[in-house]
């Protein structure tokens, strides 16, 4: 090739085709990239599948879960449905006791829909919590259910020479209504009601008393109020009520006398039955 300015030009042709080895290496790199992207998608799908967002797990006891009698068996139905179409998912559930007492059976996985049995603690104010973990083709999920005993506490004792009886259902906290009867002395008779506004064990609550007494053909109105504390002992099977008076009055419209008696303690027993 010659021109007025340049001489000895050479035209070199460069091929755009890869060699077989280079093409194979490129394919390998491409497949690695595709696989990594696919694995990333699978990891995200698995994380969502395991998050519990796919399933709705239900625990349905045939009684309770509060106010159970001590030492009884509670049948618990375990179900799981898909959140998308609400259809049963099948699969298995493993149920375990995660807090409190007493036990849950079986420990092995149960097919869904299925049933487990929770045994309540033998103490009157016992409690327990179970957790069901479900594994199915449509995802995993879990549910937690807490149980509590609260059968009854029975009072049968003496308060300032008077007989006090009654039963408190649903555990210690709340309102107690107790019957009071007997003779405070001097030939008098008395009938009334002792009402306790009870706090949890160990905390201070309040009590009020209202009753009617009779003596020598005369009728009197009796009132009293003060603090009360409920303390559990004996492994949860016994307790005491300690009443500290603050006010007291006896009157019949014409005569009136105020005063307080001393601190009194009433024995309390676990009745161990639902009511």
């Amino acid at each position: 090739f010659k021109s007025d300015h340049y001489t000895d030009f050479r035209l070199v042709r460069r091929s755009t085709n890869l060699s077989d080895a280079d093409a194979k290496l490129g394919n390998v790199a491409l497949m690695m990239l595709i696989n990594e992207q696919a694995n990333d998608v699978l990891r995200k799908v698995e994380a969502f599948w395991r998050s519990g967002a796919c399933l709705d797990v239900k625990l349905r006891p045939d009684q309770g879960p509060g106010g159970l009698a001590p030492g009884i068996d509670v049948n618990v139905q375990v179900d799981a449905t898909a959140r998308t179409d609400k259809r049963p998912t099948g699969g298995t559930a493993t149920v375990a006791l995660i807090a409190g007492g007493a036990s849950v059976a079986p420990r092995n996985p149960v097919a869904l829909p299925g049933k487990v049995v929770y045994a309540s603690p033998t103490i009157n104010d016992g409690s327990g919590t179970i957790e069901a973990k479900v594994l199915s083709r449509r995802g995993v999920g879990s549910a937690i259910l807490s149980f509590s005993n609260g059968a009854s506490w029975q009072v049968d004792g003496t308060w300032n020479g008077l007989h006090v009886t009654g039963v408190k259902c649903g555990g210690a906290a709340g309102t107690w209504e107790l019957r009071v009867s007997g003779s405070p002395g001097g030939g008098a008779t008395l009938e009334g009601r002792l009402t306790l506004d009870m706090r949890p064990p160990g905390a201070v609550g309040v009590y009020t008393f209202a009753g009617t007494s009779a003596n020598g053909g005369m009728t009197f109105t009796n009132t009293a109020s003060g603090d009360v504390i409920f303390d559990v002992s004996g492994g949860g099977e016994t307790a005491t009520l300690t009443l500290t008076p603050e006010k007291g009055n006896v009157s019949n419209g014409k005569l009136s006398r105020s005063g307080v008696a001393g601190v009194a303690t009433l024995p309390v027993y676990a009745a161990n039955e639902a009511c």
Side-chain angles (χ1 to χ4, degrees):
F1 180 84
K2 292 183 178 181
S3 72
D4 294 338
H5 304 286
Y6 302 99
T7 60
D8 298 327
F9 269 84
R10 290 185 303 166
L11 179 62
V12 179
R13 181 178 180 272
R14 185 176 297 274
S15 176
T16 58
N17 295 324
L18 291 174
S19 67
D20 290 343
D22 289 339
K24 184 176 180 179
L25 183 61
N27 286 335
V28 170
L30 179 61
M31 291 304 298
M32 290 177 64
L33 178 61
I34 293 173
N35 285 339
E36 180 59 30
Q37 290 177 336
N39 288 335
D40 184 58
V41 171
L42 289 176
R43 284 191 292 268
K44 291 179 179 178
V45 170
E46 182 180 9
F48 181 76
W49 183 80
R50 292 186 178 279
S51 69
C54 298
L55 302 188
D56 186 16
V57 181
K58 297 291 186 183
L59 296 174
R60 296 184 174 91
D62 64 356
Q63 55 185 309
L68 297 176
I72 66 167
D73 289 341
V74 180
N75 295 314
V76 183
Q77 181 72 23
V78 187
D79 295 296
T81 56
R83 293 186 185 274
T84 53
D85 57 16
K86 309 302 181 183
R87 297 181 62 183
T89 63
T92 61
T94 302
V95 185
L97 184 74
I98 61 173
S103 64
V104 63
R107 295 183 178 180
N108 297 328
V110 296
L112 296 181
K115 183 187 75 172
V116 297
V117 178
Y118 169 75
S120 67
T122 56
I123 61 174
N124 200 47
D125 277 357
S127 62
T129 300
I130 63 173
E131 181 180 27
K133 295 183 177 181
V134 172
L135 177 62
S136 76
R137 292 180 180 271
R138 302 195 63 179
V140 300
S142 64
I144 293 176
L145 181 63
S146 294
F147 297 90
S148 62
N149 292 357
S152 58
W153 289 100
Q154 182 175 359
V155 179
D156 190 350
T158 301
W159 177 50
N160 297 325
L162 301 170
H163 190 203
V164 181
T165 58
V167 174
K168 169 63 173 67
C169 298
T175 302
W176 298 49
E177 295 286 351
L178 307 177
R179 180 176 181 269
V180 180
S181 62
S183 174
T189 59
L190 184 145
E191 294 282 343
R193 184 168 297 276
L194 181 63
T195 302
L196 314 179
D197 182 10
M198 193 66 65
R199 304 295 189 267
V204 179
V206 296
Y207 77 85
T208 58
F209 170 76
T212 301
S213 60
N215 190 8
M218 301 179 66
T219 301
F220 296 86
T221 298
N222 302 70
T223 59
S225 61
D227 294 334
V228 58
I229 296 178
F230 178 86
D231 284 313
V232 181
S233 58
E237 293 299 310
T238 60
T240 56
L241 291 170
T242 302
L243 287 78
T244 303
E246 291 185 350
K247 297 179 181 180
N249 182 263
V250 179
S251 65
N252 67 350
K254 295 181 180 179
L255 302 175
S256 178
R257 185 177 64 182
S258 298
V260 295
V263 175
T265 300
L266 288 171
V268 187
Y269 309 93
N272 290 339
E273 60 183 44
C275 61

